[in-house]
Each structure stands twice: as structure tokens, then as C-alpha cells.
Amino acid sequence: MAMRSHYCGLVTEALMGETVTLCGWVNRRRDHGGVIFVDLRDREGYVQVVCDPDRATTFAAAEGLRNEFCVQVKGLVRARPEGTTNDGLKSGKIEVLAHELKVLNPSVTPPFLLDDDNLSETTRLTHRVLDLRRPAMQKNMMTRYKVTMEARKFLDANGFIDIETPMLGKSTPEGARDYLVPSRVHDGAFYALPQSPQLYKQMLMVSGYDRYYQIVKCFRDEDLRADRQPEFTQIDIETSFLTEDEIRDMFEGMIRNVFRNVADIDLGVFPVMSYGDAMFKYGSDKPDLRVKLEFTELTEVMKRVEFKVFSGAANMVGGRVVALRVPGGGAAEGGLSRGDIDGYTEFVKIYGAKGLAYIKVNDWSLGREGLQSPIVKNLDDNALGEIIARTGARNGDLIFFGADKEKVVNDAIGALRVKIGHSPFGRKNGLFEDRWAPLWVVDFPMFEFDEDNQRWSAVHHPFTSPKDGHEDLMDTAPEKCLAKAYDMVLNGIEMGGGSVRIHREEVQSKVFRALKISAEDAQLKFGYLLDALQYGAPPHGGIAIGLDRLVMLMTGAESIRDVIAFPKTQRAQDLLTQAPSAVDEKQLRELHIRLRNPQPAA
């Protein structure tokens, strides 16, 4: 006889009158006047099991049940009494009258109740095996599975083949730090875990496989936050003989398909925005378009004002001055308080801003007398008029300002824009639109200037193709050179990104020259790819979509840790297995490694 005939959560009125055999965990046991009710749980949900005293052996077994006991129940499916149905469950109209009950394995007292929504993350990650039993986590993991299956079905239908690439490869110290793996066989040599399969998938295009994909682990030894992990999963894709627009159209279709089939969400057609416009309007290359606030550019206006905070930034090389108008933010009733403004001032300092200037517009018909701010006295009437006119500010509005190096302004005021939009004030005043907001950001710069090393570095990676006609700019004006690169953004989160790759040696050489990578260094770091490109490499490009982020967005989880079965903490620790951990001296000797003990503090 089969151990189980049905999943608990799938027993419905369609099985009325039938005998079923169920296996699962005791979610809760309730004794109601001599009748024992057991909420039995498995990955598909709950079913109510009734144990009555008429069956003495079964009832005695039920009396000994406790939370998280693993049990088997054989019983009759019957209708719940009138008034006791639960429309929130698939099994909510029925119950199972237990004929037989067997404890497959008892449980010690769990460290927490599985329906406790106020657990600390440390507790959850330490007891992850139990945490993963919770219905919310089961739903997240099932959603993740469905997302990968929908992606695979789409890719298979479009001629993509799944090819595995190595986990042990060559270290190429560009971008984030590599995780290094010492070789026992080759004394003093190391493998690196892949930050992505980038070079391998390009070589697969040279090898003629035309369309490749892989749902693959990637590793980066970098500082962590809510949407980062030392190991994460990508839907990694590469194609040959497709243009930039064709690649974007195809994978927009894939993501729309995944959201529709898994979560019944229609993302609609993705708007397209240039990197330049995104930074100009929102200070971010992944703008959250649900927030209905935009920057107002004031750099030119502020070049001649006496207020040095503004004029100094406006006249510095790479400086910027912007305003952020907050409708209703200066209203006497329901506006932002002084405490709110002080809080936002501290917030922007996280991003390098020295402070946060503001003006409250009380009554512009009174001119400067109708404006309230410590900085009004430092600005002439013409500058104040330009600020009001350009921002479109009305009575009751509040205007914040950012004035500093462009990056500081973009980061600080861009983050402030999102914070205000998402705040209770922003939602109450219509500054946030509750919808799905997908976006393509395109035309990224090829290079950014590395102030620390005083040289240009690649914005994406050094194999990204420049826009047609921009090849010569790499030698003459790298700052003006745009790339065939594109990012997929959803609700202000970068969900994935990719580019058309360089497939011609002469263009690749120009990129290396712009990056100050010598021919010798290029050969040392990337020689195997450069050699492969000589054998009739096809035009190719691709994209990598962050599976963890995608599922996080779809489920509404606060962190990608909630959609990964066994994640690390923000300190890159696995609290369940206590990794990383020390290893014994014998293992170190076999790997030719000796630990350098830290010097005692002076």
C-alpha cells in the first residue's frame, strides 16, 4: 500500500466520501471537548483532521501529538459542519475523519512557532530547516521553482540549449573580488569561482552553439546588502546573430511570460530610457518610475549666485546643482515637519552629501517674503524666480536641493526621491503609484573615470561593444563613447543586464588601449578568449537576469535571503552550518597553505 494517496493541501470536496492516506506535520493540535482536531500540513497546504473517542487507539495516538510531529493519517473525507468552513484554504470545505493515525517521527519542542511573523532573521537562519517549513517560505521556494521552469520552457521553445560551464576557472581580478580555491596538485596556484560565466559563454558562441543558457551559481566576494549574496543565481543567456533590439525584445518577452504564467501579473510593454535621461531626471540608472518626482536641473542658473554652496558646485568640474520639488511638502497642515526635514538631512549624508538645503513655498505672490528657508537670504530675486519657474513649485510645496560633485548629488538626491516617494507622506499625497514599473535603460557610457587610479575603467566589462560610429571615440574622447549595453529594471531594482559583445579584434584592441591594458596583460588575463575570437567569431550578445532578485520582486519579499533556501548573512556566514569554519592543519599542509596569524595590537 502506498504511504500517501494525496497531498494535505489538495484534499477538496471533489474527494468527498473517499478514504485518503495523508502524510505531513502537525501544525497545531486542538482539544475541543473530547474531540481532537489536528491541522496537518505539507508543502501544498493544510487539512483539518478530526480524531474522536470512538476509535480509542487513534484517539490515544492523537492525545500524544505535539507541534511538528511527522505523522501518517488514513481517514474519510467528509464535509465540515455548517459555519466552520474556511474559504482561505483549498481544503477549507472538508475535514478528514481519522481512522488510523501513526507517528512516523516525533519532534522535540521547536524553538519557535511556525506562524510567528516576528522572528528575528538570526533565529530564522540558525534554524533554517524549520524556517523553510513555514508556509510563506514554502510559497517563496515554490514560486522560485515555477519561475525557473517557465524560463526553461521559454528558452527551450526559442532554440536555446542548456550548457554547463566550469566552477573552477582562472582568476581575472576585474571588478569584484574573486573567491579563490587553492590547488592541491599545483603548488601555489589557485582556481577562482566564477563571478559569471561571461567568457565561457562568449567562447560557446565562437564554437557555434548559437543560443546558450544556464541557470547558474555565481560568486563575488563583495560587501553585502539586502539584494546581494556571496553566491547568487543568474539566468545566464548568450545569442549569436541578433541585434541589440532583438535581444531586448526576446528577453522582455521572456520576463513578461514568466510573470504572467507564474503570478498572473501583466507587466505590459517595457518603456525604454537612455542612461543619460535616467541620470538627468532621477539621478539613478535604475529609476523607480512608481515615484512621481523628478529632478530640476539648476547648474547653469547657479553659476553666478553669491551663495557659495550652490555656485561652488555649479562651477566645479563635474559639479551639479539640482532641485527636487515635493508637492504639498511645505503645507502648514499635512506637510513635512521640521523633524522630517532633519531626518532627511541625516539620510543624504549616507551618500556623501554635506547637508540638505530646502525652501518652503508659503505664498509666492509675496515674492521672497513668501518663502521660508535659511538659504533665501543668500539668493537674489532672479535666482529665486528661476527656481520657482523651473520646478513649477506652487504654494504649499517644499523644494530640496543637492549641490556637490555630480555623483554625490545623483546618489543623495536620487535616494531621497525614492525615500520620500515610498514614505507614508508620499503615498498619502499621490507621489507613489502602486503598480509594476518595468523599464529598459540603454546607451550606457562605455567608460567611467577611476579617480583613485586615474584611469578609465569599463562600466560593464571590457568585452562590451561600443555603439556603431563610436569606435574612434575610445581613442579621442572616451567620456563620450556609448555602449551597446542595456539593463532591465523593475520597480527601481536592476533585475538583469547585458550587452552586445565585441567580436572583432581591432575593436577589442581599442578598448584595451582606452583601459590602459597592455597587450601583454590582455594576453595574460584573457588570452584564451582573445585567441578564440580570431577564429571567425560571430556577432553575439546576451543578458544575465538575477533569479534571486526576480523572485524577490514577484513574491514581495524584503530580501533575497527570503527566496534562497540556504542563504548567508550580511557577514557572509551560514548560521545553519556555521560556515565558514576553520580546517585542520593536515588539510592546510596538503594545500601548501600556512595561516598568517594577525600581529598583536601595539
Side-chain angles (χ1 to χ4, degrees), residues 147-376:
V147 166
T148 61
M149 287 306 297
E150 287 297 330
R152 287 186 187 279
K153 285 191 283 187
F154 179 93
L155 291 164
D156 183 67
N158 283 277
F160 287 81
I161 56 177
D162 184 350
I163 304 176
E164 295 179 13
T165 53
M167 283 291 111
L168 298 176
K170 181 182 175 66
S171 178
T172 54
E174 298 283 331
R177 296 182 194 90
D178 286 329
Y179 276 102
L180 300 177
V181 180
S183 169
R184 179 183 60 80
V185 177
H186 301 280
D187 187 358
F190 292 80
Y191 302 102
L193 300 181
Q195 295 188 30
S196 81
Q198 181 62 49
L199 303 186
Y200 285 110
K201 68 180 182 178
Q202 287 190 245
M203 290 188 289
L204 285 170
M205 294 303 100
V206 182
S207 298
Y209 287 93
D210 195 69
R211 294 187 175 189
Y212 140 96
Y213 86 95
Q214 192 179 185
I215 298 179
V216 61
K217 284 285 188 187
C218 302
F219 305 86
R220 293 179 187 172
D221 186 7
E222 60 185 350
D223 295 333
L224 307 178
R225 55 177 187 248
D227 60 348
R228 284 184 177 174
Q229 280 278 291
E231 52 180 317
F232 56 97
T233 306
Q234 288 182 176
I235 307 174
D236 196 57
I237 300 162
E238 197 77 3
T239 72
S240 295
F241 308 115
L242 289 183
T243 66
E244 178 183 352
D245 289 345
E246 288 174 318
I247 292 171
R248 288 209 318 267
D249 288 347
M250 177 176 284
F251 297 111
E252 176 180 323
M254 184 182 83
I255 294 302
R256 290 171 62 188
N257 192 71
V258 166
F259 270 79
R260 181 175 60 250
N261 292 348
V262 174
D264 196 26
I265 293 168
D266 182 4
L267 292 179
V269 177
F270 290 27
V272 179
M273 181 182 297
S274 72
Y275 170 89
D277 283 349
M279 300 305 291
F280 184 79
K281 293 179 180 179
Y282 309 111
S284 171
D285 61 2
K286 46 183 181 293
D288 187 345
L289 297 185
R290 298 173 299 172
V291 177
K292 297 191 288 185
L293 297 172
E294 291 186 12
F295 288 10
T296 299
E297 183 64 43
L298 295 175
T299 306
E300 285 299 320
V301 174
M302 295 301 161
K303 284 187 173 180
R304 292 171 296 281
V305 299
E306 292 186 8
F307 187 36
K308 296 300 183 185
V309 172
F310 286 178
S311 60
N315 287 292
M316 78 165 63
V317 176
R320 190 180 189 191
V321 182
V322 302
L324 184 72
R325 172 195 164 214
V326 181
E333 295 292 330
L336 294 173
S337 68
R338 182 59 203 236
D340 292 330
I341 294 172
D342 289 344
Y344 289 140
T345 301
E346 291 305 308
F347 174 73
V348 297
K349 289 179 181 178
I350 297 170
Y351 300 90
K354 300 177 184 67
L356 184 63
Y358 70 91
I359 292 177
K360 280 187 178 183
V361 184
N362 294 331
D363 185 353
W364 178 234
S365 68
L366 301 176
R368 66 170 51 247
E369 300 304 319
L371 303 179
Q372 181 182 343
S373 166
I375 70 168
V376 168

Side-chain angles (χ1 to χ4, degrees), residues 501-559:
R501 325 302 186 188
I502 296 167
H503 69 284
R504 299 182 67 90
E505 189 278 331
E506 66 271 19
V507 178
Q508 188 65 72
S509 294
K510 284 188 175 184
V511 172
F512 285 152
R513 282 202 300 273
L515 296 173
K516 297 280 195 294
I517 297 175
S518 68
E520 292 77 15
D521 277 350
Q523 192 64 33
L524 181 65
K525 292 177 180 178
F526 316 113
Y528 50 95
L529 175 66
L530 300 178
D531 291 345
L533 293 177
Q534 297 179 77
Y535 297 105
H540 60 284
I543 192 168
I545 295 167
L547 176 64
D548 311 305
R549 292 184 185 183
L550 190 162
V551 180
M552 178 182 74
L553 283 161
M554 188 178 285
T555 60
E558 293 184 3
S559 161

Side-chain angles (χ1 to χ4, degrees), residues 342-490:
D342 289 344
Y344 289 140
T345 301
E346 291 305 308
F347 174 73
V348 297
K349 289 179 181 178
I350 297 170
Y351 300 90
K354 300 177 184 67
L356 184 63
Y358 70 91
I359 292 177
K360 280 187 178 183
V361 184
N362 294 331
D363 185 353
W364 178 234
S365 68
L366 301 176
R368 66 170 51 247
E369 300 304 319
L371 303 179
Q372 181 182 343
S373 166
I375 70 168
V376 168
K377 64 180 180 293
N378 300 313
L379 297 171
D380 57 54
D381 290 345
N382 178 65
L384 292 172
E386 287 287 339
I387 290 169
I388 301 300
R390 293 187 182 221
T391 60
R394 299 178 180 180
N395 294 343
D397 290 351
L398 180 66
I399 306 169
F400 286 116
F401 298 89
D404 209 309
K405 291 181 179 178
E406 185 174 20
K407 182 178 183 347
V408 172
V409 170
N410 289 342
D411 290 350
I413 307 303
L416 178 65
R417 169 186 171 270
V418 173
K419 190 170 182 66
I420 292 173
H422 282 255
S423 69
F425 168 85
R427 291 173 184 267
K428 181 181 176 182
N429 287 274
L431 305 183
F432 180 86
E433 193 175 0
D434 193 7
R435 64 182 178 92
W436 291 94
L439 176 70
W440 283 111
V441 178
V442 301
D443 295 349
F444 279 81
M446 277 282 289
F447 309 106
E448 57 188 351
F449 195 71
D450 182 344
E451 295 283 354
D452 293 335
N453 296 302
Q454 288 296 298
R455 66 180 181 91
W456 293 100
S457 62
V459 169
H460 281 77
H461 53 66
F463 311 105
T464 301
S465 178
K467 285 280 186 184
D468 295 339
H470 285 223
E471 294 87 351
D472 290 340
L473 292 174
M474 290 188 284
D475 290 328
T476 60
E479 72 280 4
K480 296 180 181 178
C481 186
L482 299 182
K484 292 181 181 178
Y486 34 84
D487 277 0
M488 180 186 287
V489 177
L490 183 61

